[in-house]
């Protein structure tokens, strides 16, 4: 976050984090949207069941709050409005710091892709989602990089900050990667075998032609 002067790890209650938002401008394109996260209120989430990854109750989403000096607020707000333009809108939530000695931020600004925004996709099959993330990329880079960076960032926040959905999805994407690498290796082996057979046939044919020439 540019222009911040303070960062506070912590969490908000009453939401779940899901990769159920399409991305046409960062981790995908308009013709091949990627998948990024949004936060879904628990009350709305419960209407979207079944979800293969069911969170514990009460629902808690970890992250970090940033304090922006007053002289930079407009600059940062303009930057975020552009960065989050693809379906996200400003909402406010009560943010509790991981450090219990710090006071809660009762009106913390959060960009959320609400269910009514056109990029919200609803419940996604986790295996199909993993395959889609593996192959997607956009102006900001590969979709899987975004997922892995989020997974790492949550781990770095400390014990209890992990996200079951993110961790499960990252595991599935890595499995897709292993499968794709295996397929690529198999194709390379098959290609080399075919090329070797072609060379063997050529060599055999050349040897026969030489023998026939010598006999003549």
């Amino acid at each position: 976050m540019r222009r911040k002067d303070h960062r506070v790890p912590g969490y908000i209650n009453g939401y779940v984090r899901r990769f159920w938002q399409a991305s046409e401008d960062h981790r995908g394109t308009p013709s091949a949207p990627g998948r990024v996260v949004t936060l879904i209120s628990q009350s709305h989430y419960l209407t979207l069941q079944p979800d293969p990854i069911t969170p514990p109750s009460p629902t808690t989403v970890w992250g970090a709050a940033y304090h922006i000096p007053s002289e930079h607020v407009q600059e940062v707000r303009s930057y975020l409005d552009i960065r989050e333009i693809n379906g996200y809108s400003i909402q406010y939530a009560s943010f509790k710091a991981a450090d219990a000695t710090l006071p809660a931020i009762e009106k913390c600004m959060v960009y959320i892709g609400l269910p009514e925004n056109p990029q919200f996709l609803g419940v996604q099959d986790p295996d199909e989602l993993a395959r889609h993330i593996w192959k997607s990329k956009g102006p900001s880079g590969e979709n899987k990089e975004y997922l892995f960076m989020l997974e790492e960032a949550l781990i770095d926040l400390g014990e209890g900050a992990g996200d079951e959905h993110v961790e499960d999805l990252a595991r599935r994407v890595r499995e897709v990667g292993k499968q794709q690498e295996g397929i690529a290796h198999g194709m390379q082996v098959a290609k080399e075998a075919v090329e070797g057979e072609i060379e063997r046939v050529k060599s055999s044919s050349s040897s026969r032609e030489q023998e026939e020439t010598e006999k003549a």
Side-chain angles (χ1 to χ4, degrees):
M1 173 69 69
R2 300 185 303 176
R3 303 295 192 182
K4 71 179 186 300
D5 66 358
H6 197 48
R7 175 180 181 272
V8 180
Y11 57 90
I12 60 177
N13 288 321
Y15 288 87
V16 296
R17 179 190 282 112
R18 289 292 184 269
F19 269 79
W20 293 355
Q21 178 89 353
S23 173
E24 299 180 349
D25 57 348
H26 286 296
R27 299 294 172 164
T29 64
S31 60
R35 299 291 184 265
V36 290
V37 292
T38 187
L39 303 184
I40 306 168
S41 67
Q42 184 177 21
S43 59
H44 184 78
Y45 172 80
L46 293 175
T47 71
L48 300 174
Q49 299 287 6
D51 176 7
I53 303 299
T54 302
S57 183
T59 49
T60 299
V61 174
W62 281 79
Y66 297 88
H67 179 265
I68 309 299
S70 58
E71 65 268 25
H72 298 306
V73 167
Q74 189 56 51
E75 175 192 353
V76 172
R77 171 68 181 272
S78 297
Y79 164 75
L80 290 174
D81 283 347
I82 294 173
R83 192 187 74 174
E84 308 297 338
I85 196 171
N86 196 207
Y88 294 91
S89 59
I90 293 175
Q91 307 298 317
Y92 293 92
S94 177
F95 181 90
K96 301 183 185 304
D99 182 349
T101 64
L102 297 176
I105 304 172
E106 294 301 335
K107 196 175 180 182
C108 183
M109 189 175 78
V110 187
Y111 281 83
I112 296 178
L114 297 173
E116 56 266 27
N117 92 84
Q119 305 303 327
F120 184 74
L121 302 170
V123 178
Q124 302 287 289
D125 177 84
D127 287 326
E128 291 181 5
L129 182 57
R131 289 191 290 271
H132 190 94
I133 289 175
W134 171 261
K135 68 180 182 181
S136 297
K137 61 182 178 180
S140 296
E142 294 184 330
N143 206 165
K144 57 180 176 285
E145 176 190 45
Y146 169 89
L147 167 62
F148 297 151
M149 288 173 63
L150 174 58
E151 178 190 34
E152 183 177 353
L154 290 172
I155 292 173
D156 289 345
L157 287 177
E159 184 178 357
D163 187 296
E164 186 177 358
H165 171 73
V166 173
E167 293 170 358
D168 176 77
L169 188 55
R171 177 186 61 79
R172 292 175 191 268
V173 171
R174 291 189 178 98
E175 284 297 319
V176 172
K178 292 179 181 178
Q179 294 170 9
Q180 294 300 317
E181 289 171 2
I183 292 173
H185 177 70
M187 292 177 65
Q188 180 62 30
V189 170
K191 179 183 177 182
E192 292 174 357
V194 170
E195 291 174 346
E197 181 63 17
I198 291 174
E199 289 299 319
R200 187 191 68 77
V201 171
K202 286 182 178 179
S203 177
S204 177
S205 176
S206 177
S207 295
R208 287 197 300 271
E209 289 175 358
Q210 184 176 358
E211 291 176 358
E212 291 174 358
T213 301
E214 291 174 351
K215 289 178 181 179

